[in-house]
Amino acid sequence: DVKVTQSSRYLVKRTGEKVFLECVQDMDHENMFWYRQDPGLGLRLIYFSYDVKMKEKGDIPEGYSVSREKKERFSLILESASTNQTSMYLCASSASGGTYEQYFGPGTRLTVT
Amino acid sequence: GQNIDQPTEMTATEGAIVQINCTYQTSGFNGLFWYQQHAGEAPTFLSYNVLDGLEEKGRFSSFLSRSKGYSYLLLKELQMKDSASYLCAVSKEAGTALIFGKGTTLSVSS
């Protein structure tokens, strides 16, 4: 069974703080993704990575950065958290070499006050 | 641009059949996914269509018409546990991220 885990289910941070969200997958997947999910807006792609140290911007990368130093781990970084980054953050992974389903982690609900 | 449309909300009763439609306009197409997401949980994979036609998997079926840019998810013998959001997502190209619709919230009542 594929397992994608995220470091926290709930997180509360203050405006201006640097925030790290961690995601780990155990299926040796090459592709990893970070989305945010907001009511009425659906899932929006922030960044994805198709290999270690490789990254591509998604639809809404502003205010975020990512790090992929190891294949199994993909980190999302909010350099200076703002209230409009309050959201549910979902990490996903998938195999490469074709079109494969994405497996999602349980999500991190981040509140920035 | 990319556009994926699905109804925002639907309601149905236990035992009934419901069809959730999805239309898409994308600059490439390499398959369409349906995911189910219960409130507060992660999306889980339901189906994948890349060729035209109907794919059946138990109580759930998914249909695709590439020429019409159209798909639907058919849920039969509805149960209360089917109350969830259903997400339509398009793969434009193999190995790239999916483009998600905003989701359809289905409420099943007794």
Side-chain angles (χ1 to χ4, degrees):
Chain A
D1 250 10
V2 176
K3 195 165 184 183
V4 181
T5 56
Q6 296 183 227
S7 47
S8 307
R9 286 302 304 269
Y10 300 94
L11 208 52
V12 179
K13 295 291 181 181
R14 293 191 183 275
T15 302
E17 279 193 84
K18 191 168 186 176
V19 182
F20 293 87
L21 303 182
E22 304 283 339
C23 175
V24 178
Q25 49 92 6
D26 66 357
M27 280 302 290
D28 204 35
H29 283 166
E30 289 78 14
N31 298 330
M32 296 188 75
F33 310 87
W34 275 107
Y35 296 90
R36 64 177 281 178
Q37 186 174 34
D38 301 287
L41 297 177
L43 277 161
R44 293 179 293 166
L45 180 69
I46 305 171
Y47 269 98
F48 75 95
S49 169
Y50 51 90
D51 202 349
V52 175
K53 297 191 186 294
M54 306 303 288
K55 61 186 179 185
E56 292 280 343
K57 291 181 180 179
D59 300 317
I60 51 165
E62 297 78 19
Y64 303 95
S65 62
V66 290
S67 172
R68 190 149 180 220
E69 297 296 318
K70 293 185 178 181
K71 191 175 186 179
E72 67 270 20
R73 188 179 297 268
F74 192 35
S75 303
L76 180 70
I77 304 151
L78 286 66
E79 297 290 344
S80 177
S82 63
T83 55
N84 63 13
Q85 292 178 310
T86 292
S87 186
M88 170 68 86
Y89 289 88
L90 288 161
C91 174
S93 73
S94 74
S96 66
T99 300
Y100 299 102
E101 65 183 277
Q102 293 184 7
Y103 294 86
F104 285 84
T108 295
R109 183 162 294 282
L110 172 67
T111 302
V112 182
T113 61
Chain B
Q2 333 293 349
N3 201 42
I4 300 177
D5 287 319
Q6 47 182 135
T8 305
E9 293 180 341
M10 297 183 73
T11 59
T13 52
E14 264 189 310
I17 299 173
V18 72
Q19 178 175 311
I20 302 174
N21 296 324
C22 172
T23 57
Y24 63 89
Q25 289 177 301
T26 55
S27 54
F29 182 81
N30 197 52
L32 187 143
F33 291 83
W34 284 96
Y35 282 82
Q36 180 190 59
Q37 185 179 25
H38 285 101
E41 297 183 11
T44 55
F45 169 78
L46 286 178
S47 69
Y48 171 64
N49 294 68
V50 65
L51 299 176
D52 289 352
L54 188 68
E55 296 274 347
E56 296 186 77
K57 196 185 289 186
R59 293 189 299 115
F60 292 9
S61 304
S62 56
F63 172 83
L64 176 68
S65 169
R66 289 173 296 171
S67 62
K68 295 181 179 176
Y70 169 67
S71 173
Y72 67 73
L73 181 69
L74 192 72
L75 293 75
K76 301 176 189 174
E77 300 167 17
L78 279 173
Q79 302 174 11
M80 298 292 284
K81 68 178 182 179
D82 298 328
S83 293
S85 285
Y86 292 85
L87 311 179
C88 172
V90 169
S91 169
K92 284 173 47 181
E93 190 180 332
T96 62
L98 299 179
I99 304 168
F100 283 85
K102 294 179 181 177
T104 299
T105 300
L106 174 66
S107 300
V108 180
S109 59
S110 55

